Amino acid sequence: AQSVSQHNHHVILSEAASLELGCNYSYGGTVNLFWYVQYPGQHLQLLLKYFSGDPLVKGIKGFEAEFIKSKFSFNLRKPSVQWSDTAEYFCAVKGGSQGNLIFGKGTKLSVKP
Amino acid sequence: DVKVTQSSRYLVKRTGEKVFLECVQDMDHENMFWYRQDPGLGLRLIYFSYDVKMKEKGDIPEGYSVSREKKERFSLILESASTNQTSMYLCASSFSSYGYTFGSGTRLTVV
């Protein structure tokens, strides 16, 4: 069965620090990969997605993620976080054409002003 | 933009009640999903549907059922609510392999 692991449960950073959130998945075939964000009190929103092509994907609000097939990883990065990035971040994987999205357990990011 | 609307933002129900959570999407999406979100557990799939009158069990279907009589509407039913079903319930829809669009969620408390 597919699974998604997010390494950090809670990350605390100061503004302007760089961010990297880890995500590993277990699925041997073709995958679609996603990062979602949930700001406090709001619904889940798509940050970025990878289907094929350039493994470095750019998303909204300055976020990017790199798909490394050999490591089964899809880590989320941002060079300089802001207080407004405080949210919970979810990595998700969809394996095959009929698969459902499988979510990781989420990483809470707290950014200190 | 696709809109996924969940009928209630907050609900409080008593143990043993039958509970209906409604979800409507406005973009003719084929696929609809119900997840529950719990702290430290992420999102867990309860049921999903790829077409009208079609349903498939997700990872945690016990204690739940669903109904999809029309393409735009996907209802989650708690047959006899229990306190361990207190949670945030999220509905989502998607077209083919694209990413999901989520509703705002229904926070259900069972007392």
Side-chain angles (χ1 to χ4, degrees):
Chain A
Q2 299 171 40
S3 65
V4 179
S5 295
Q6 291 184 241
H7 313 304
N8 309 101
H9 179 60
H10 192 186
V11 173
I12 302 172
L13 295 173
S14 298
E15 275 195 316
S18 64
L19 170 72
E20 181 160 3
L21 301 182
C23 172
N24 287 91
Y25 64 92
S26 66
Y27 184 76
T30 302
V31 290
N32 300 149
L33 297 158
F34 305 82
W35 276 98
Y36 282 85
V37 60
Q38 188 174 36
Y39 297 102
Q42 295 190 27
H43 63 275
L44 277 158
Q45 301 170 43
L46 182 66
L47 257 185
L48 48 79
K49 59 181 184 268
Y50 172 80
F51 283 5
S52 64
D54 189 344
L56 185 61
V57 180
K58 295 200 183 297
I60 60 171
K61 304 189 181 187
F63 286 91
E64 64 180 31
E66 186 174 12
F67 169 53
I68 303 179
K69 190 174 181 179
S70 60
K71 294 185 178 180
F72 297 88
S73 71
F74 190 56
N75 292 354
L76 181 71
R77 300 195 291 245
K78 187 171 184 179
S80 175
V81 295
Q82 300 172 319
W83 177 78
S84 58
D85 293 325
T86 294
E88 191 158 16
Y89 293 82
F90 293 91
C91 180
V93 63
K94 181 175 179 294
S97 60
Q98 292 298 318
N100 296 310
L101 271 188
I102 306 296
F103 284 84
K105 293 184 178 181
T107 297
K108 277 198 176 91
L109 172 65
S110 298
V111 180
K112 298 183 290 186
Chain B
D1 279 350
V2 178
K3 195 166 180 187
V4 178
T5 304
Q6 294 185 231
S7 54
S8 304
R9 190 79 175 97
Y10 297 96
L11 270 181
V12 180
K13 296 292 181 181
R14 295 193 180 278
T15 302
E17 275 193 78
K18 191 168 185 176
V19 181
F20 293 86
L21 302 183
E22 306 289 344
C23 175
V24 176
Q25 50 95 3
D26 65 0
M27 279 298 290
D28 203 35
H29 280 180
E30 305 152 341
N31 310 319
M32 296 188 76
F33 308 85
W34 275 106
Y35 287 86
R36 64 178 281 178
Q37 183 181 10
D38 299 288
L41 296 178
L43 278 73
R44 292 179 292 167
L45 182 63
I46 305 171
Y47 267 97
F48 59 98
S49 169
Y50 289 143
D51 203 350
V52 175
K53 296 193 186 295
M54 177 270 180
K55 59 186 178 185
E56 292 284 346
K57 292 180 180 179
D59 300 317
I60 52 164
E62 297 77 20
Y64 303 95
S65 62
V66 289
S67 171
R68 194 165 181 199
E69 297 295 317
K70 294 184 178 180
K71 194 172 186 179
E72 67 271 18
R73 186 181 295 272
F74 192 36
S75 304
L76 180 69
I77 303 154
L78 285 67
E79 298 291 342
S80 176
S82 63
T83 53
N84 63 12
Q85 292 178 310
T86 291
S87 186
M88 172 69 86
Y89 289 87
L90 298 176
C91 176
S93 73
S94 77
F95 174 72
S96 188
S97 294
Y98 294 100
Y100 295 6
T101 300
F102 283 87
S104 298
T106 296
R107 187 167 291 284
L108 173 67
T109 302
V110 182
V111 297

